[in-house]
Amino acid sequence: MFGKKKQPPIRTLVGEGTLIHGELRFNDGLRIIGEVLGDVTALGDGSSILVISEKARVTGKVSGGHVIINGTVNGPIRSTELLELQPRALIVGDVRYESLEMH
């Protein structure tokens, strides 16, 4: 309704206290609360959502459709739809986006 696309479901969670070392690829939706040392990439050409929560840390490239950041990212970010920066977002790296929303 009113031209707004429905968000894909978040099917995967990297929980608090979890450390992933290596590339992380996902479909649909991903929420990170833990730590990822490696690239985080949305698969396919469909819409995706990536949420990097307040306590989360990602060291590597981040790529997705709708990317919401409230944690720490050390590396470049590419958002093909919307990059949403929430109050506690900390980014060290280049950002590319279709549209930007800052809280």
Side-chain angles (χ1 to χ4, degrees):
M1 185 174 193
F2 302 114
K4 212 171 193 187
K5 292 192 318 186
K6 185 179 176 189
Q7 291 290 338
I10 294 179
R11 299 184 188 276
T12 308
L13 170 69
V14 176
E16 186 175 0
T18 302
L19 170 64
I20 294 180
H21 192 251
E23 184 177 7
L24 179 58
R25 295 190 271 172
F26 68 97
N27 282 317
D28 294 330
L30 168 67
R31 177 180 302 273
I32 300 173
I33 303 172
E35 186 171 357
V36 177
L37 299 174
D39 299 343
V40 178
T41 307
L43 294 173
D45 49 358
S47 135
S48 66
I49 184 165
L50 170 62
V51 180
I52 299 175
S53 300
E54 184 176 345
K55 295 181 180 181
R57 294 185 55 85
V58 175
T59 302
K61 296 177 188 173
V62 172
S63 178
H66 182 178
V67 179
I68 302 170
I69 299 176
N70 199 27
T72 302
V73 176
N74 190 351
I77 299 170
R78 181 175 171 267
S79 172
T80 57
E81 296 172 13
L82 172 65
L83 175 59
E84 189 175 328
L85 302 179
Q86 294 188 342
R88 301 236 186 255
L90 174 61
I91 301 169
V92 178
D94 296 331
V95 293
R96 292 180 57 191
Y97 49 85
E98 182 69 26
S99 59
L100 176 67
E101 181 177 319
M102 295 175 68
H103 295 250

